[in-house]
Amino acid sequence: MAGRGWVVLALLGVVQLLRLPLAAPQSFIGINYGDVADNLPPPSSTARLLQSTTISKVRLYGTDPAVVSAFAGTGISLLLGATNGDIANLASSPAAAAAWVAAHIPASSPAVSTVSVGNEVLFADASLASQLVPAMQNLYNALPPNSSIKVSTVHAMDVLASSDPPSSGAFKPELDTALDPVLAFLSKTGSPFLINPYPYFAYLSDPRPETLAFCLFQPNAGRPDAGSGLTYTNMFDAMVDAVRAALDAKGYKDVEIVVAETGWPHKGDPDEAGATAENAHAFVSGLVSHLRSLAGTPRVPGKSVDTYIFAVYDEDLKPGKGSERYFGLFQTSLTEAYPTGLVRNGTAALGPAMAPAQAPTSVQPAPALPKPGQQPQVGVTLQ
């Protein structure tokens, strides 16, 4: 009987471990909190919403005091953004960087894990490239003694000259002058390489059914990489490993990768066939399951890459294609836009009890997901 008792206890322990991902925050799952919109709930409501999920970290694109303070005491850490417009000032003098740190880094809570100096700087404004590392170095030097905060900058996948197959991953040679000092800084300070891989855009460039399945973590034949002998079953791993190969080729095997943005739009323009609620649900839920499996990537197995999913809400004021405005995982009524697998114990987030600051005159129920292969009808709004 004693032996059976130990077996029962062991089985109960396994059950608890299997249940843990549904209830406990996961250190490797984060979310982007964009604010290019005029209908968002108050930051305090958003902080409470995210506490109802297993998300453990939030990336901000700035340092709005109301947003930062809303996360105090939540246990959610922040990746803060020094904007591209801040770079010249941060690079100008150590005093300017010290003033930025004093003004924007909380003394205790919420915890700040990383500061990103700029976003996709090498492509957004090439004139800032020479000032990027001086800005990063000044800001790093201005952090409190023994601080664990990392300092980095976010890159687009366009920094790669080659990514297919993943083992051929290499940075564009014309970026060497700007990128090599960044990589040296990251290695010296133990900071991560922040990258924005979007399988959605890979699908747009190759809109075949088999590519869609590969991008959405759905069953597929797999794609062998002859250079490494590895086989890939999803585009996310392939993109991350292409970056890993590029870093390794430069001699920076010690620099970790953090996915600063990835996501899938649930609506778009008529010519954006892949932007549907069905596909967004498949991608996000598939990504979350993949990260929780701790399988890692074929090149770096056994460890999930820290990943920030884009984004908390739709952003109705963003310019560009329609899909740019529909990456939100949650509606402004504080319910899921579609099932994500992120809400604790399968609950339905917070619901409309916490209304947005500028609530609509009536709250429409969330639409049903389209059937497989069905596109949303024209005129139907997926919130």
Side-chain angles (χ1 to χ4, degrees):
M1 290 298 293
R4 289 185 179 181
W6 282 112
V7 170
V8 171
L9 287 174
L11 289 174
L12 287 174
V14 171
V15 169
Q16 290 300 316
L17 285 173
L18 291 174
R19 292 178 60 191
L20 182 61
L22 297 179
Q26 279 108 32
S27 62
F28 42 79
I29 298 179
I31 198 165
N32 289 263
Y33 185 179
D35 60 359
V36 187
D38 59 6
N39 61 345
L40 300 184
S44 58
S45 297
T46 300
R48 290 173 58 191
L49 166 66
L50 296 181
Q51 280 187 288
S52 74
T53 73
T54 56
I55 292 166
S56 67
K57 54 186 68 177
V58 171
R59 179 189 172 200
L60 305 180
Y61 292 84
T63 55
D64 184 336
V67 176
V68 172
S69 62
F71 287 94
T74 62
I76 295 173
S77 67
L78 301 181
L79 190 163
L80 296 182
T83 68
N84 291 3
D86 291 326
I87 292 175
N89 182 50
L90 291 171
S92 66
S93 72
W100 192 96
V101 168
H104 301 301
I105 303 292
S108 55
S109 180
V112 175
S113 64
T114 309
V115 176
S116 170
V117 179
N119 185 45
E120 301 185 352
V121 175
L122 301 186
F123 292 95
D125 189 345
S127 68
L128 294 174
S130 63
Q131 301 178 74
L132 182 55
V133 170
M136 295 166 68
Q137 186 68 61
N138 282 345
L139 196 148
Y140 180 81
N141 292 342
L143 293 172
N146 302 316
S147 173
S148 63
I149 296 174
K150 307 299 183 182
V151 176
S152 189
T153 187
V154 176
H155 302 281
M157 285 293 290
D158 289 343
V159 295
L160 296 184
S162 174
S163 61
D164 186 22
S167 62
S168 72
F171 293 114
K172 291 180 176 176
E174 61 268 30
L175 295 179
D176 284 354
T177 301
L179 192 56
D180 286 353
V182 171
L183 298 178
F185 172 87
L186 299 180
S187 178
K188 180 179 66 175
T189 62
S191 297
F193 186 86
L194 304 179
I195 190 72
N196 293 344
Y198 278 90
Y200 168 68
F201 294 115
Y203 168 67
L204 287 186
S205 66
D206 181 17
R208 295 175 297 159
E210 55 266 37
T211 303
L212 184 61
F214 189 66
C215 290
L216 296 181
F217 298 92
Q218 293 175 338
N220 61 86
R223 298 188 178 184
D225 181 338
S228 65
L230 302 171
T231 297
Y232 288 82
T233 58
N234 67 80
M235 183 67 78
F236 178 82
D237 283 354
M239 298 175 91
V240 170
D241 274 0
V243 177
R244 181 73 267 162
L247 287 168
D248 291 354
K250 283 279 192 180
Y252 291 106
K253 295 185 178 182
D254 59 319
V255 174
E256 291 197 6
I257 295 170
V258 168
V259 173
E261 284 182 24
T262 190
W264 198 285
H266 60 82
K267 185 180 178 182
D269 292 334
D271 61 344
E272 296 181 293
T276 68
E278 176 197 9
N279 289 343
H281 161 66
F283 176 78
V284 172
S285 61
L287 173 63
V288 170
S289 295
H290 181 54
L291 294 174
R292 283 177 175 161
S293 75
L294 303 180
T297 68
R299 191 179 181 103
V300 187
K303 179 180 183 297
S304 290
V305 61
D306 284 7
T307 300
Y308 291 82
I309 304 171
F310 191 85
V312 180
Y313 304 115
D314 291 343
E315 296 177 82
D316 64 334
L317 300 182
K318 290 192 86 168
K321 300 284 288 185
S323 61
E324 291 288 338
R325 295 180 282 281
Y326 294 104
F327 276 85
L329 274 61
F330 297 92
Q331 302 179 82
T332 54
S333 59
L334 305 176
T335 56
E336 291 182 296
Y338 50 83
T340 63
L342 290 168
V343 177
R344 293 178 187 269
N345 297 320
T347 58
L350 298 183
M354 298 172 57
Q358 298 178 356
T361 54
S362 63
V363 177
Q364 299 297 320
L369 288 175
K371 295 179 181 178
Q374 174 185 346
Q375 300 298 324
Q377 297 181 6
V378 176
V380 176
T381 301
L382 297 179
Q383 301 193 13

